[in-house]
C-alpha cells in the first residue's frame, strides 16, 4: 500500500512538472522600439522573450545624454510598463499584451513586463 501511494505521488509530481511552461519567468514574444544611434541614424531594436518582473533598461538609450527611445510596440503575452527614465524610474505608461503600442511622442528608457 505504501509503495502504491509513493508511486502515485511520484507520477503526479512528474505530470505537474511536464505541464509547467518552460518560460515561466519570461514574457513570450517581441517588444520593439525605435531610437537614434550615435551617428544620428534611426534604428529599430527588439527584446525577444524578455524576463518578467525585472526592470530592463534599454541599452541603446540608457545614457541620459542620448535621445530616449520612442514608438514602443508590445507583441508579448504580458503587459509592458514603459518608463521615461532608466531603471524603471520616472513617468510610466502601460501597453497591453499582444499588440499594445504607442506613438513616437511616448519617450522611454526602460520597461518591465508583468
Amino acid at each position: 500500500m505504501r509503495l502504491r501511494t509513493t508511486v502515485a505521488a511520484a507520477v503526479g509530481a512528474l505530470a505537474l512538472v511536464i505541464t509547467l511552461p518552460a518560460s515561466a519567468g519570461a514574457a513570450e514574444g517581441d517588444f520593439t522600439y525605435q531610437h537614434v544611434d550615435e551617428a544620428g541614424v534611426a534604428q529599430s531594436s527588439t527584446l525577444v522573450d524578455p524576463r518578467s518582473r525585472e526592470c530592463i533598461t534599454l541599452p541603446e538609450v540608457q545614457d541620459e545624454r542620448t535621445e530616449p527611445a520612442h514608438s514602443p510596440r508590445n507583441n508579448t503575452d504580458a503587459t509592458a510598463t514603459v518608463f521615461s527614465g532608466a531603471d524603471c524610474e520616472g513617468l510610466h505608461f502601460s501597453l497591453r499584451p499582444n499588440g499594445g503600442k504607442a506613438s513616437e511622442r511616448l519617450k522611454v528608457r526602460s520597461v518591465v513586463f508583468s
Side-chain angles (χ1 to χ4, degrees):
M1 183 71 164
R2 199 178 272 191
L3 178 62
R4 190 179 312 167
T5 305
T6 304
V7 170
V11 169
L14 180 61
L16 180 62
V17 169
I18 290 172
T19 60
L20 288 176
S23 59
E28 292 183 13
D30 297 341
F31 176 82
T32 59
Y33 53 96
Q34 310 299 312
H35 59 93
V36 176
D37 68 13
E38 314 80 46
V41 178
Q43 301 288 329
S44 179
S45 292
T46 303
L47 300 176
V48 178
D49 297 338
R51 296 210 32 95
S52 296
R53 294 178 288 285
E54 187 174 292
C55 180
I56 301 169
T57 297
L58 306 177
E60 302 86 356
V61 296
Q62 65 186 351
D63 186 346
E64 292 291 327
R65 294 174 292 184
T66 62
E67 292 183 39
H70 60 86
S71 307
R73 183 173 294 249
N74 183 23
N75 289 314
T76 71
D77 61 354
T79 299
T81 303
V82 295
F83 293 82
S84 61
D87 303 318
C88 295
E89 294 182 357
L91 300 175
H92 63 280
F93 184 81
S94 293
L95 300 170
R96 65 179 169 77
N98 303 311
K101 61 184 178 180
S103 75
E104 61 192 31
R105 294 182 314 188
L106 183 63
K107 307 301 184 189
V108 301
R109 292 191 187 275
S110 56
V111 60
V112 66
F113 297 87
S114 63

